[in-house]
Amino acid sequence: MKLTDVVARFDEQLATDEFADVDASANGLQVGPDEKTVETVAFAVDAAEATIEAAIEADADLLVTHHGLVWGGLDRLTGRDFDRIEPLIREDVALYVSHLPLDGHQELGNAAGLADHLGLSNREPFGSLGPVHIGQSGSFESPKTTDELRDALDELDGNEGTQVFDFGPDEISDVAIVTGSGVDWLDEAIDSGVDALITGEGKQKVYHEAREAGISVFLAGHYATETFGVRNLAELAGKLGLESAYISHPTGL
């Protein structure tokens, strides 16, 4: 399959253009020629030396990641940027990146995948960012205790223990999800009336803000909450007739 066709299919499925004005990431094809044939695609959360080396070892023609290499442009191709990009060019491996589009997609995205894992129903877009959403909210058919929800999050790939600010009700029925670094949407969670916000990592001020508002916050790990999107894209690649390989490289964060 031509690389241009794979990119076009991913861009269309993820509505990449809709996030162009709100995302610092250069989403879409970040490294690669105009003409290239793709047979094997590797998928990983981060584009880094370790995952690039693993993609090369897997004989991949294309590496797809959630966190890419270009954030607001490259002034010089030196140092760390060179060390990451040079092997891709040398080994003829293209790089496709989807950051916020892959957070917010309501079926294939990270928040949607985490909602699937938790078995949420009555799901709606959450986490407004300009004209788009980067998260999802939903309800449990049967309320969960804090310990039950923590245990479910501890099952995530790469999770090293979910931290909880346990200031909400004893029984949790409604939750909002913004994966990765999503505590900036705590006020939206409070305004929406959910019992808890689930995200990856926190900030100091969130402890007091959650305590004062009477809402729980679950910090399940940036990496651990963001493996779903690339895995779902791997399934999409399979439907396109491409071989795929998932590269797991947890960061512990």
Side-chain angles (χ1 to χ4, degrees):
M1 191 173 184
K2 291 183 178 179
L3 175 61
T4 51
D5 293 336
V6 177
V7 169
R9 185 63 178 269
F10 283 171
D11 281 345
E12 179 182 9
Q13 185 70 53
L14 297 169
T16 300
D17 290 344
E18 295 182 12
F19 292 80
D21 294 332
V22 298
D23 198 347
S25 171
N27 296 310
L29 187 66
Q30 287 195 355
V31 179
D34 292 333
E35 296 295 330
K36 177 179 173 62
T37 299
V38 175
E39 295 181 357
T40 302
V41 188
F43 296 84
V45 173
D46 303 307
E49 287 188 31
T51 54
I52 290 169
E53 290 171 1
I56 292 171
E57 291 176 3
D59 200 24
D61 305 298
L62 171 65
L63 172 61
V64 175
T65 67
H66 177 51
H67 301 128
L69 300 179
V70 182
W71 303 84
L74 286 172
D75 293 327
R76 292 178 173 83
L77 191 55
T78 59
R80 182 186 300 114
D81 293 328
F82 179 84
D83 291 340
R84 290 174 172 176
I85 293 175
E86 187 274 334
L88 292 170
I89 297 174
R90 170 169 36 88
E91 300 296 335
D92 193 23
V93 179
L95 174 66
Y96 179 92
V97 174
S98 184
H99 183 230
L100 293 185
L102 198 54
D103 282 322
H105 194 282
Q106 296 299 296
E107 295 178 4
L108 301 176
N110 289 317
L114 182 49
D116 288 340
H117 173 77
L118 296 175
L120 296 179
S121 58
N122 302 320
R123 287 149 64 166
E124 296 180 352
F126 177 84
S128 59
L129 186 62
V132 298
H133 291 85
I134 59 171
Q136 195 168 92
S137 63
S139 304
F140 293 110
E141 292 185 5
S142 299
K144 304 286 187 184
T145 66
T146 296
D147 287 344
E148 287 172 336
L149 181 50
R150 179 195 287 114
D151 289 345
L153 293 170
D154 284 348
E155 296 173 356
L156 300 179
D157 177 32
N159 179 294
E160 295 195 357
T162 302
Q163 184 179 7
V164 183
F165 297 152
D166 187 9
F167 301 127
D170 293 335
E171 291 192 331
I172 298 170
S173 296
D174 305 305
V175 300
I177 301 171
V178 178
T179 60
S181 181
V183 290
D184 288 340
W185 283 267
L186 178 62
D187 284 341
E188 183 176 338
I190 294 168
D191 291 342
S192 69
V194 298
D195 303 315
L197 171 67
I198 301 171
T199 187
E201 61 188 53
K203 296 179 180 179
Q204 169 73 12
K205 65 177 184 176
V206 172
Y207 171 91
H208 295 288
E209 292 173 350
R211 184 175 183 272
E212 291 160 5
I215 187 174
S216 292
V217 177
F218 290 76
L219 308 176
H222 196 129
Y223 178 95
T225 59
E226 295 197 328
T227 66
F228 296 98
V230 288
R231 287 182 185 165
N232 287 334
L233 286 186
E235 292 185 10
L236 177 59
K239 294 178 181 178
L240 298 177
L242 300 170
E243 296 291 330
S244 65
Y246 174 66
I247 300 168
S248 177
H249 197 93
T251 64
L253 300 173

